[in-house]
Amino acid sequence: MAHARASVIRAGRAWIGGAFRPADVTIQGGVIVGVDDPGRSARGTTLVPDDAVLLPGLVDSHVHVNEPGRTEWEGFRSATLAAAAGGVTTIVDMPLNSLPPTTTVTALEIKRAAAAPSAYIDVGFWGGAVPESLGALAPLHEAGVYGFKCFLSPSGVDEFPHLDRAQLLAAAEEVAALDSRLIVHAEDPALLHEHGALGRGYEAFLASRPPESEASAIDTVIDAARRTGCRAHILHLSDAHSLPAIRAAKAEGVALTVETCPHYLTIAAEDIPDGAAEFKCCPPIREASNRDLLWQGVVDGTIDAIVSDHSPSTVDLKRSGSGDFGLAWGGIAGLQIGLSAVWTEAHSRGIPLETLVPLFTTGPARVAGVARAGVIEPGVPAHLTVFGVDDPLVIDATRLLHKNPITAYDHRVLSGRIRRTWLHGKAMYNVTEGGAGEAPRFRGKPRGRLLSAASARVV
């Protein structure tokens, strides 16, 4: 049998072993087979321009694809195309808001069947821990989910109810016995004050979900992880004042990780206009002073990952209630532009790209336990992306590849954009260099693979 022909990608700045350096990355059969100092020009060599960097394909461990059941909100085709345009080559899909939610093996099989013909990038799946599934998580774990998501406050959809404190502890015990992960939406419902209509002003919505709610729930998660030995993960941290408790728990040896999201690092509550429900998410975007403290958590390493929490819906749902923040659907669409948004803010603060790259690659891969993702090294799938660090990018919601043209980033002027993406060694995304408005181009049919935690060692 003839061997696949090797190809080479040469870059003056490639992210290798936690630093940028010149490298020739050799690819054969969809796998990286060599990472070497640049040599003489060879036939088939692709050159990365000097004003761009070669990165591992990004990993996003927090994406709501919503297919099947709410595919009008998003779907595997639209979500994975948008991801590729954002340099993301691996996502882990959340167990809601699809119908059925991924709380049984049958539901997982339904979701995999929906993803298989439509995924342009690699896709893994989280399972769900709801009251009805406690005590019966093992089959879903054995079927290959990367861990189990739960809520401590109402999720917003009736088919995915939240856990109370006793149920959280039971879930943590069960997940610890499986050597899996428990990922938690941490808000304490006893401290939430949202009751129907709140009006068009953002201040009332922000007051309805105070930081004390996050802090209380995070303390509950830390206690459960400490008591059971469960690996626990705090989803979408918005309350920076909870960082000291997280730091202390980590220093104590509690198996705890935490993520935040681009919208918490790049948007401030003071700047959200009245009636702009595209900014509604839970937990909420908080004040600029809080944002500054979150950035300290990024720089000092307390925060393990930056992920999108891409949680889209139709425009009608986001606009329901005519801009009333209490009535509009929550969730921010941003899968395609996370690195650009965060890099723009980081650069303005004098924070180097080197600080961010692990948080978009190895960080989320480790949070989820996705093996062989987020690195450029021999033996791993050849998932790569080229990032033009100074390229202008003006966000137009109607031109993003998300299914619905509404996002909190609309009209933002960003610095840095993805130019090219390879999946399993195949060039599958390209955009004309030099501007912000060109239409992206995709090559070939969907080649994404469905990932299973059961087929790889959990790390």
Side-chain angles (χ1 to χ4, degrees):
M1 181 181 294
H3 292 291
R5 179 177 296 178
S7 60
V8 175
I9 300 174
R10 176 170 298 160
R13 289 183 294 166
W15 185 255
I16 311 290
F20 285 113
R21 70 172 178 85
D24 275 3
V25 180
T26 304
I27 300 165
Q28 189 170 28
V31 175
I32 296 172
V33 297
V35 178
D36 305 291
D37 293 334
R40 291 177 296 178
S41 296
R43 186 176 180 181
T45 298
T46 298
L47 300 177
V48 174
D50 291 340
D51 62 347
V53 296
L54 181 67
L55 302 177
L58 311 184
V59 180
D60 193 334
S61 55
H62 193 153
V63 178
H64 294 265
V65 177
N66 305 327
E67 184 180 7
R70 292 188 175 99
T71 311
E72 69 273 16
W73 296 12
E74 194 67 277
F76 283 102
R77 185 181 190 279
S78 54
T80 56
L81 285 172
V88 178
T89 54
T90 305
I91 63 171
V92 188
D93 174 64
M94 284 290 163
L96 74 164
N97 296 302
S98 56
L99 292 170
T102 316
T103 56
T104 66
V105 173
T106 297
L108 176 63
E109 291 171 348
I110 291 170
K111 185 169 279 192
R112 282 176 168 162
S118 304
Y120 277 82
I121 64 169
D122 287 0
V123 180
F125 303 92
W126 294 108
V130 296
E132 295 79 7
S133 66
L134 296 184
L137 300 180
L140 200 50
H141 170 71
E142 292 163 2
V145 298
Y146 282 90
F148 296 88
K149 179 177 185 177
C150 68
F151 282 74
L152 292 183
S153 58
S155 71
V157 292
D158 292 341
E159 67 273 6
F160 203 97
H162 66 286
L163 305 182
D164 62 25
R165 289 173 184 254
Q167 290 167 335
L168 175 74
L169 186 61
E173 291 174 342
E174 187 174 0
V175 169
L178 294 172
D179 194 24
S180 186
R181 289 164 171 79
L182 188 66
I183 65 173
V184 187
H185 181 123
E187 289 182 286
D188 185 341
L191 297 173
L192 299 179
H193 313 299
E194 188 176 0
H195 302 289
L198 291 169
R200 290 170 51 83
Y202 188 75
E203 296 83 358
F205 171 67
L206 184 59
S208 76
R209 305 188 86 95
E212 292 81 9
S213 175
E214 269 190 274
S216 173
I218 288 169
D219 286 345
T220 298
V221 174
I222 290 171
D223 180 65
R226 179 187 292 120
R227 292 170 63 180
T228 65
C230 173
R231 285 179 293 179
H233 177 68
I234 304 297
L235 296 164
H236 44 48
L237 178 73
S238 80
D239 172 35
H241 294 91
S242 292
L243 285 169
I246 293 168
R247 289 188 188 102
K250 287 185 170 189
E252 180 189 335
V254 176
L256 185 71
T257 53
V258 60
E259 70 186 37
T260 194
C261 304
H263 40 279
Y264 300 129
L265 295 170
T266 65
I267 304 171
E270 297 92 329
D271 300 328
I272 296 176
D274 289 352
E278 60 268 29
F279 291 89
K280 179 181 177 179
C281 59
C282 300
I285 295 166
R286 303 195 187 278
E287 300 85 354
S289 59
N290 180 85
R291 180 180 60 182
D292 292 341
L293 293 175
L294 281 178
W295 272 106
Q296 290 182 24
V298 167
V299 172
D300 70 20
T302 304
I303 292 172
D304 298 278
I306 300 174
V307 293
S308 67
D309 187 13
H310 180 67
S311 188
S313 68
T314 63
V315 174
D316 287 346
L317 274 175
K318 289 299 289 182
R319 300 296 188 202
S320 61
S322 300
D324 187 304
F325 279 95
L327 301 177
W329 189 262
I332 288 178
L335 178 57
Q336 186 173 335
I337 51 181
L339 178 59
S340 297
V342 176
W343 166 236
T344 302
E345 182 72 22
H347 187 58
S348 73
R349 294 170 178 265
I351 297 170
L353 186 59
E354 287 88 339
T355 298
L356 299 185
V357 175
L359 294 165
F360 282 89
T361 55
T362 49
R366 287 171 180 157
V367 161
V370 180
R372 304 194 309 153
V375 293
I376 300 176
E377 61 185 39
V380 306
H383 298 343
L384 301 160
T385 193
V386 173
F387 185 57
V389 293
D390 296 318
D391 292 359
L393 180 61
V394 181
I395 303 302
D396 178 348
T398 66
R399 301 191 64 152
L400 295 176
L401 297 175
H402 310 150
K403 181 165 284 190
N404 288 281
I406 185 168
T407 178
Y409 302 100
D410 200 15
H411 306 304
R412 286 203 158 211
V413 180
L414 306 180
S415 177
R417 74 174 305 172
I418 297 299
R419 294 183 187 175
R420 303 188 71 175
T421 302
W422 290 263
L423 186 82
H424 297 288
K426 300 291 186 180
M428 52 89 66
Y429 168 79
N430 184 36
V431 67
T432 306
E433 297 171 15
E438 301 88 349
R441 297 194 298 271
F442 290 89
R443 284 186 182 176
K445 60 185 180 180
R447 293 192 180 93
R449 300 179 186 178
L450 304 188
L451 306 178
S452 171
S455 64
R457 182 176 64 88
V458 177
V459 295

